[in-house]
Amino acid sequence: MLEDLCSHQESLSMVAAPSDGFHGSQWRSTCLLPTEEQKRDVGHPGRATLDESLGDRSPWEEELLGQIRAMSDSQRSRVLEAIQHRIEEHTQVITIPGGSSGLGLQLPRAGHWGPSTVFCLQLLWKEVADPGIRELLAPLNLEPQQPVEKAFLFLVYGLILRECASSDLVRRHLMRLLELSHQTAGQREGMAVASGIASSSHLQEVWATLEHLGRTRVLRTACTSPDYQEPYADVHWRWVSSTSLLCYGHMALHAGEHILPWVDNVISRMVYYFSCSCYDNILETSFLSAAVMLVKALKQEHSTRRYRFTQIPELIQCLLAILQKEPNFLATLFRQKIILVIMELSKLRPSLKPVVKSRILQTCLQSLYMLPPMEMLKSCLPPLDLAPDVMVLYQKSMQALDLLLQTFISENKSMDEMCFLLQHTEPWLKSDKSHECKRVVQTIFLLLKYVVDYVKLTDEATPSMLGHQIGLLMLLWRDRDPVTQSHSRQCIYLLLQLLIQQKGSMGQFMHLNKMKNFEAKALRRSEMKFYNLVKALDRSLTPAQHTQLILTLLGGLCSHDHLQCDLASQLVLMIFQNQSIKVEQVAEILQGLFQELPSIVFKNILQTMMKAVTMLGTQHTQETVEVMLSLCHPSERQVLPLWKALASNNQLARKVLMLLYMKLKLRPPKELVRLSQQAELISLLALGTIYELLYTREYKATVRWAFAGILVGLLTQLHYLFELDVVEGISDYQEDSLEVKPLSPCRTCLEALKGLFWTTNYWEVFAYLQLLRGWELFEHLETYTEGVTLLARAMAHYDCEVKAVLGQAVISLKSSEERDNIVAILVITEFLNSQELTQYMSRRAMDNFLSLGLSSPNQLVRAMSLKGLTSILMDPKKVVLLRNQLAGLLDSFMGPEPQDLMGLMEILGDILHSLGTQGIGATSIRMAQHLLSLFEDEQAPVRGGAISLFGDVVHSGGKKYRPALKRQAFQALVPLLFHLVDSCPAVVMKTKLTFLRCAILLKWEFRKELFGKLAWGHGLGAENDIFIYMVESNFGSYHQFLMQALIYLGSPHKNLKRMAMKFIGGILQDYFTDLCFSLKRGDLKIFKKYLEVLKKDSDSVSRRFYQNFLEDITELSKFVRQ
């Protein structure tokens, strides 16, 4: 590691820097590569020699130092002036090939007194007039042989300054040296070398001189851009900041045991000058060189580990800034050197804060992982004179990264630190680029291998994010790159090994090794070889880690790579099948899945996840339901696929509805519910969900099974909402509106109540209330009880789940909640009129339940209980009394001039309802015939009352008289059809219901469709459909309908008359052939008689009808039989 740091010159010397008249290349030049001699010398050329010369000095060096020490200050001053003069005249920049980087000084090695050095001293000899100094140099036998090496001049300069006793002399001559040009790399390095050597004896003087230089020169030139081309730009000082950085580095290198008191000041100046100077290759190279020297100096000082540094994060930030500016190709070892320097700095006290570590990791990983793929690394290089070995550069850079990570974990031997490091690899584990993924997985593998082999984690921390990182690695198990695939699996084994080691479970450890060996020998790719590993993870991970693992796999479902999606879904399914999910995990897992559902691309993946939800729901039904209720408002429907998944199992679907019913009953009193909390009430969420599930095909059978409970729950829920005064929006609902708006709680409850009957195919009950506008009774608390009564009556009439609902009502009657008692007693009292009630419950049991209601604190409950106890079912003797009363009333009703006809019809209707299953026998036929005659009464209330009562009568004769009543219903069809356009809206409403009830009694084929047209149809289209349903449901009766309709051609009511014309016209057009066989001559004469009346009618429509159909009548007469 130290050797790598010391050999940083090998890379730094490959960086171009401007020489005289040259202002830097666009790229870091790779045409300036190290010479073979430099490649052999892994040390810093110059500094390594300097260290050696200062340590094991050769005889000539010892002699030179002896002569320097023998000089007086005045002699030393003259020699220094001579060197300054010689350096100024030295216009040619002498550097090693490719070494104009600021580090290109080639000083002689120890014991090698080369010709250039000899000539250098000879020149000095000629420059110095003092015979004594010449005598000093004479014993060296100097003879000119080749051009001077300026580097040696700086070395001698520094040595002389170091040996000077006068501080003033040191400051003066050092300042003069630093006032020379800073344009060339050799000059900057030489000044730094001389300053560093001098600082070993005059640290404070050198520091003061550099401070002065900083104030007077560095800050003045700091903002001068390297590209600044004004003719008066002072290139002499342009790179003075780079010189200063090198000086500080050499100061640190020569400070020895004095480094620590000065180190923070040195670092602060380095950071400041780097930050405020204009950035270029020269600056970054100088800064890195200084940082390398600083680290080397600190590494040599034994007390460094006890010192608390204050400027390390700032220094690291500057190094990271250099790293970020590296081009996206590999031509130097800059990346390696920077990472190694940071690695050494991270070992110092105090430990780096997580935010600093995080920046380091992000920058280093990005700099290396984003390099082009290996096969493209060489081709990405710019044109070079001598191309570097890219593979070597890459391997060394990656090794530096591995060392950095190993240092981090060695400094903090904990699982938390491991997770922290792995956390920063996440963006690359998710990368779509194969080479990036391959690099990061290899890095993780090497790190884990190092930790398993050499590091013993000191704590038993169980960070939850470890599960997330395991999940990311698992998603690479089917990566298309076999290396990535292999390393990802090995990483999981290594992480498992760490977890098992933490727990100290030897049995699990042995099992893991066996499993690892077995899977290593597996020849075929099979999902079964994942199973044991998944089980091992289930056993080894904490619930929090296990949850994070699953959430990460769920995130993999959204990939556009089908292979990865399929792997993620199969792994999740495998985990769920293993029944390893604990109760406390359910919420997070479902929330995670819910968030990912909209982004899943592939249909088969979605189907697999629905299977997983089914398994989870089976294992943790209650928790699953509770979480799904909280995911979003039911009306948003994004959660609907999850509910559907729970319905794939019939038993599970029943449990779900039972739980929703129980949640519906969680109704806190109004006093405990704040206004802001109303929307969050669990009962309202359950209500909204039930409403959605009613219209979900998968729950159709289950809803039918739970019909009674849902019905009573919805009725009591509506009453509860009235109690909370949450009635806003209940009356504003428009069924035919195309605008989609969320329903209010009350409206949701009412629509759910309606939907319950419609979706379970109890549409007759729905229609009964719809056509009587009975659903509107539920919109107000004042009419709520009437609505429940009417609904129960319709259910009893059509035998709609009477047994099950009765059972639920009995349970509710025993409840301590008043609203439950109200709904229960209203339903029970109406069911007492059901034909089948006695099959489900004995009179004694019913008597007991009704008697229970008499003790209720609620007045309505007591009154309705009393009414039930006095019903015919409970007191059969009343049947005779009511029938006798009915006979007397019928005499008055059918008399020539009955008084209070409306009152009579109302009483008759009540008696019919009270008699219930007992019926009125043959009397029903007489009543039906008389009521039929009242359909055309001039008074609209009478017409409406008669039509409504007719519908009750035709259903009150019992099985014996049903055929006769069917004939009466058939006779009423045409009048009822025409009264659908009655001038009175109330009559129309009653007509619709009676018309439908007749259709139901006559068992038409399209009854449900007929109701739809009656309830919501408008215009000619609806009229035509109703006409077709009626005529087609009564095959062969066309001539009867025609003869009935003729009477209305003379009706004084224009609506009825025109409706009759439409009907007759339709019969003639559509069923002409049938009429030819069914009509008789006498019928045709009657037809012509009614038609002739229209010929002279004042109404133009009537006359037009006559003209249009006269030809049809004439044609019809040709075919009608006698």
Side-chain angles (χ1 to χ4, degrees), residues 119 167 195 334 357 420 529 582 628 642 763 765 922 941 1099:
F119 187 62
S167 299
S195 300
F334 248 60
K357 280 189 182 179
F420 177 79
K529 68 182 180 181
K582 295 180 172 56
M628 286 168 59
L642 299 180
W763 64 269
V765 177
D1099 182 21

Side-chain angles (χ1 to χ4, degrees), residues 277 1040 1113:
S277 300
Q1040 293 172 269
I1113 300 301

Side-chain angles (χ1 to χ4, degrees), residues 560-774:
H560 288 270
D561 182 352
H562 187 271
L563 207 59
Q564 187 181 90
C565 289
D566 185 63
L567 172 63
S569 64
Q570 293 300 326
L571 288 172
V572 171
L573 188 62
M574 203 177 291
I575 292 171
F576 284 19
Q577 285 173 335
N578 202 30
Q579 298 188 1
S580 57
I581 308 297
K582 295 180 172 56
V583 171
E584 60 267 30
Q585 297 178 251
V586 174
E588 271 193 89
I589 290 172
L590 277 176
Q591 288 165 1
L593 176 59
F594 177 67
Q595 290 174 358
E596 305 297 345
L597 276 180
S599 304
I600 295 178
V601 179
F602 304 104
K603 188 175 180 180
N604 67 315
I605 304 301
L606 193 59
Q607 292 170 346
T608 303
M609 292 320 301
M610 293 305 103
K611 291 180 183 177
V613 172
T614 304
M615 292 179 184
L616 184 63
T618 304
Q619 296 164 24
H620 303 286
T621 310
Q622 181 171 341
E623 292 75 17
T624 301
V625 169
E626 289 174 354
V627 173
M628 286 168 59
L629 285 174
S630 67
L631 290 176
C632 70
H633 193 275
S635 63
E636 296 176 17
R637 298 188 180 179
Q638 292 96 325
V639 76
L640 196 57
L642 299 180
W643 290 110
K644 289 181 178 180
L646 297 182
S648 59
N649 180 309
N650 187 46
Q651 291 300 319
L652 178 58
R654 291 188 175 190
K655 286 182 181 180
V656 167
L657 277 184
M658 286 175 64
L659 285 167
L660 289 173
Y661 171 70
M662 298 304 295
K663 300 296 180 186
L664 190 67
K665 296 179 70 175
L666 297 177
R667 301 160 180 155
K670 182 179 181 180
E671 301 77 31
L672 301 179
V673 179
R674 297 178 184 174
L675 187 63
S676 60
Q677 294 176 332
Q678 287 179 354
E680 301 173 5
L681 286 175
I682 191 70
S683 64
L684 296 188
L685 295 174
L687 169 64
T689 303
I690 290 173
Y691 173 64
E692 295 297 333
L693 298 188
L694 290 176
Y695 295 93
T696 304
R697 177 177 54 83
E698 290 80 358
Y699 279 91
K700 186 173 182 180
T702 311
V703 168
R704 187 72 176 256
W705 169 81
F707 181 93
I710 296 174
L711 173 64
V712 174
L714 292 174
L715 289 173
T716 52
Q717 179 72 7
L718 187 57
H719 196 285
Y720 173 67
L721 294 174
F722 282 129
E723 294 172 21
L724 293 182
D725 199 25
V726 189
V727 295
E728 184 180 358
I730 190 171
S731 302
D732 301 336
Y733 180 72
Q734 296 179 350
E735 291 181 336
D736 54 352
S737 174
L738 296 178
E739 184 180 0
V740 179
K741 294 190 299 184
L743 301 177
S744 66
C746 263
R747 192 72 222 182
T748 300
C749 191
L750 180 53
E751 290 303 312
L753 188 62
K754 295 161 67 175
L756 177 64
F757 290 93
W758 185 258
T759 58
T760 52
N761 210 32
Y762 291 121
W763 64 269
E764 296 95 341
V765 177
F766 179 93
Y768 189 93
L769 269 76
Q770 181 71 23
L771 296 178
L772 284 179
R773 300 181 67 177

Side-chain angles (χ1 to χ4, degrees), residues 933-972:
S933 64
L934 295 177
F935 282 10
E936 312 306 326
D937 195 275
E938 294 181 358
Q939 300 180 44
V942 174
R943 294 198 304 273
I947 290 172
S948 180
L949 186 58
F950 182 86
D952 292 333
V953 169
V954 293
H955 285 86
S956 64
K959 292 182 179 179
K960 182 178 179 180
Y961 298 98
R962 188 167 296 165
L965 290 171
K966 282 186 177 182
R967 288 192 291 271
Q968 294 299 318
F970 177 81
Q971 291 297 320

Side-chain angles (χ1 to χ4, degrees), residues 308-508:
R308 294 185 67 83
F309 296 82
T310 62
Q311 300 292 318
I312 298 301
E314 289 76 12
L315 180 59
I316 289 175
Q317 184 59 39
C318 295
L319 292 167
L320 294 177
I322 297 175
L323 191 59
Q324 286 176 320
K325 294 180 184 296
E326 280 293 284
N328 200 32
F329 59 78
L330 274 177
T332 70
L333 283 173
F334 248 60
R335 286 178 169 87
Q336 180 207 24
K337 302 306 176 184
I338 292 173
I339 294 173
L340 289 177
V341 170
I342 293 173
M343 177 196 72
E344 291 296 336
L345 293 174
S346 67
K347 298 177 182 179
L348 304 176
R349 293 184 63 198
S351 299
L352 297 178
K353 293 181 179 179
V355 65
V356 178
K357 280 189 182 179
S358 187
R359 283 200 299 268
I360 293 171
L361 291 168
Q362 288 172 7
T363 307
C364 293
L365 295 180
Q366 182 175 357
S367 179
L368 290 175
Y369 292 160
M370 289 187 69
L371 288 170
M374 288 298 298
E375 59 272 13
M376 296 176 59
L377 268 177
K378 192 168 185 178
S379 61
C380 290
L381 291 173
L384 307 170
D385 292 341
L386 182 60
D389 189 337
V390 177
M391 279 297 298
V392 173
L393 296 178
Y394 174 78
Q395 289 170 1
K396 287 192 174 185
S397 300
M398 293 303 294
Q399 287 169 4
L401 176 62
D402 295 334
L403 289 171
L404 176 67
L405 296 176
Q406 291 171 16
T407 300
F408 281 164
I409 195 65
S410 298
E411 292 293 315
N412 183 8
K413 300 174 183 178
S414 68
M415 188 61 80
D416 284 327
E417 181 72 8
M418 174 62 70
C419 284
F420 177 79
L421 298 179
L422 293 179
Q423 179 183 346
H424 291 82
T425 65
E426 180 173 342
W428 314 104
L429 286 172
K430 292 180 176 179
S431 175
D432 294 330
K433 298 178 180 178
S434 178
H435 66 281
E436 293 180 353
C437 209
K438 181 178 180 179
R439 287 168 181 166
V440 69
V441 175
Q442 185 172 11
T443 299
I444 295 172
F445 169 71
L446 292 174
L447 174 62
L448 292 173
K449 192 78 171 63
Y450 171 79
V451 174
V452 169
D453 292 342
Y454 302 108
V455 179
K456 180 173 176 58
L457 300 182
T458 55
D459 62 5
E460 296 184 4
T462 56
S464 61
M465 286 308 294
L466 182 63
H468 172 65
Q469 288 140 9
I470 290 174
L472 292 175
L473 290 166
M474 290 175 75
L475 290 174
L476 299 174
W477 281 359
R478 285 188 188 166
D479 194 86
R480 289 176 174 82
D481 188 291
V483 176
T484 302
Q485 192 179 113
S486 174
H487 276 151
S488 65
R489 293 180 188 174
Q490 292 179 65
C491 286
I492 300 297
Y493 282 113
L494 290 169
L495 282 168
L496 265 174
Q497 193 168 339
L498 284 175
L499 289 170
I500 293 171
Q501 285 176 354
Q502 269 191 308
K503 294 181 179 180
S505 174
M506 186 56 64
Q508 287 190 35

